[in-house]
Amino acid sequence: MKNNKNNKGEIMNKFTKVGISALAGSLATFSAQAVEMSVSGSAKLTYFNQHQTEVTGNPYGMNTSLSFTGSGEVNGYATSLLITNNDANSGLSSASLSVDFADMGKITFDQGVGAGGISTIDDKTPTAAEEVWDGLDATTGIGNGLVGGGNSGVFVYANSYAGFDLSAQVSKGARVANSDDATSGVGGSGTSWDFALTTDGAQLGVDGMTAGIGYGEIANGAQSGAGNTDVDEHTVVFANYAFGMATVGVSAAHIDHGAAAKESETAMAFGIAVNINDSLSVSYGEREIEHTKAGSTHVDEEISGFAIAYTMGAAKITAQQNETKDNGGTAGSDDESTQIALSLSF
């Protein structure tokens, strides 16, 4: 009996070893397919002052950001994951998951990163810091002719063809970030799609030039009512030219709002940025938006901005002054913003 018990123990030990070996093999298989994660971060300390008619309060603030990036091969395809958290109290700010199918293109599900589509070229005029409309009251949609309908809850397709880069995105309903097993519940059920097509001097025959065009039909939720259509049409073109220390650029955009009660916007912009040396750069830009109002006088909004930036390794100091007349298409309404910022990346 004792020998039988010993034999039973030996048999159990063998089964245990086999089980451990099988588990180790499965773990090895899993780890071989797991992506590798890395972390990067940034901090931005700002002084921000607004128009004299606005209550500024405390003008000092800070933005912090942590980005977790994962990349590796999953089932034979290059896969990447990006998760970004901005500020201590904002929770998950944005995320994206991408699968690269090589010559067949790259597909990304975007939750606010801004991975593709027409919004990537909404304003490509050169600048040393932020755009000339940054920090002004009317900064999106009706106000300065910015194209794009958001980058949350969208599928993005990217590929290159004969030197031309295509980035297209499509979404259903409102472009808002959803958790799994959830719907936005707002913004109607319309389908939105848009694209950006860009290229460089090699294809254009002009060294130092980059150019692009974009178009999109963005669902606006106005499916009912006389004179309404359920989409807004967005169009934009740009061209930049770099020579010596300077880069100059122009951009034109048009938004045709489908809802009868809304206006249309036509924006023309130019900018010039100069690298004084490897560390110091300055820029100036202007943007004019014609607000075509339904049943009332049209208004031309004029935006201008000056910026200067000094870079020291991972640190960057910027100063910017932006102002607008007839802000957001409202005659007699002006706005301005001043920002001084220290940015650190690590």
Side-chain angles (χ1 to χ4, degrees):
M1 296 295 292
K2 183 177 181 180
N3 289 337
N4 290 339
K5 289 182 179 179
N6 286 341
N7 290 339
K8 183 178 180 181
E10 290 177 3
I11 293 172
M12 290 301 295
N13 288 339
K14 289 180 181 180
F15 276 119
T16 301
K17 290 178 180 179
V18 171
I20 293 174
S21 298
L23 177 60
S26 65
L27 288 176
T29 302
F30 175 78
S31 62
Q33 295 187 12
V35 297
E36 296 181 359
M37 299 295 295
S38 61
V39 182
S40 61
S42 64
K44 183 178 181 181
L45 175 65
T46 61
Y47 165 84
F48 182 70
N49 191 37
Q50 297 174 292
H51 192 263
Q52 59 183 359
T53 60
E54 299 178 85
V55 178
T56 300
N58 185 357
Y60 298 100
M62 185 172 68
N63 173 281
T64 58
S65 175
L66 280 178
S67 295
F68 299 84
T69 304
S71 60
E73 190 173 283
V74 177
N75 295 329
Y77 297 105
T79 303
S80 59
L81 170 68
L82 173 63
I83 303 172
T84 300
N85 185 314
N86 288 322
D87 293 326
N89 60 351
S90 65
L92 174 64
S93 297
S94 58
S96 65
L97 178 64
S98 303
V99 180
D100 195 334
F101 296 95
D103 292 342
M104 293 186 294
K106 181 178 180 180
I107 296 178
T108 301
F109 183 71
D110 191 355
Q111 286 276 54
V113 172
I118 193 174
S119 62
T120 60
I121 59 171
D122 60 354
D123 185 356
K124 296 290 287 184
T125 51
T127 178
E130 304 292 348
E131 297 89 343
V132 296
W133 41 263
D134 185 72
L136 301 176
D137 286 344
T139 57
T140 58
I142 294 178
N144 53 17
L146 285 179
V147 296
N151 300 97
S152 290
V154 300
F155 285 93
V156 181
Y157 175 77
N159 209 343
S160 296
Y161 306 92
F164 290 84
D165 297 323
L166 172 67
S167 178
Q169 64 180 15
V170 62
S171 63
K172 182 72 172 177
R175 289 184 169 180
V176 297
N178 296 326
S179 64
D180 62 323
D181 298 329
T183 64
S184 64
V186 295
S189 58
T191 297
S192 300
W193 63 270
D194 57 77
F195 75 89
L197 186 66
T198 58
T199 190
D200 57 23
Q203 305 303 316
L204 299 171
V206 181
D207 291 339
M209 177 169 283
T210 57
I213 184 172
Y215 177 80
E217 295 186 359
I218 312 300
N220 57 27
Q223 289 89 354
S224 61
N228 286 347
T229 60
D230 62 355
V231 296
D232 297 338
E233 294 186 9
H234 294 227
T235 307
V236 64
V237 294
F238 81 91
N240 292 342
Y241 178 62
F243 59 97
M245 299 186 301
T247 301
V248 297
V250 294
S251 177
H254 180 75
I255 301 176
D256 186 9
H257 294 281
K262 293 185 178 180
E263 63 189 67
S264 295
E265 307 163 45
T266 301
M268 298 292 296
F270 82 89
I272 179 170
V274 179
N275 295 321
I276 306 300
N277 52 44
D278 291 340
S279 300
L280 182 64
S281 60
V282 297
S283 66
Y284 176 78
E286 294 184 1
R287 186 175 182 87
E288 182 174 317
I289 306 96
E290 179 184 6
H291 297 265
T292 305
K293 297 177 176 290
S296 60
T297 304
H298 299 178
V299 177
D300 290 337
E301 179 184 4
E302 297 179 356
I303 302 175
S304 62
F306 171 82
I308 184 170
Y310 186 76
T311 304
M312 303 168 290
K316 184 176 183 179
I317 300 174
T318 61
Q320 184 149 0
Q321 171 71 35
N322 293 339
E323 61 181 29
T324 180
K325 295 180 179 180
D326 298 332
N327 180 43
T330 301
S333 175
D334 299 337
D335 192 33
E336 63 182 26
S337 70
T338 301
Q339 183 189 90
I340 302 174
L342 169 63
S343 302
L344 305 174
S345 58
F346 54 89

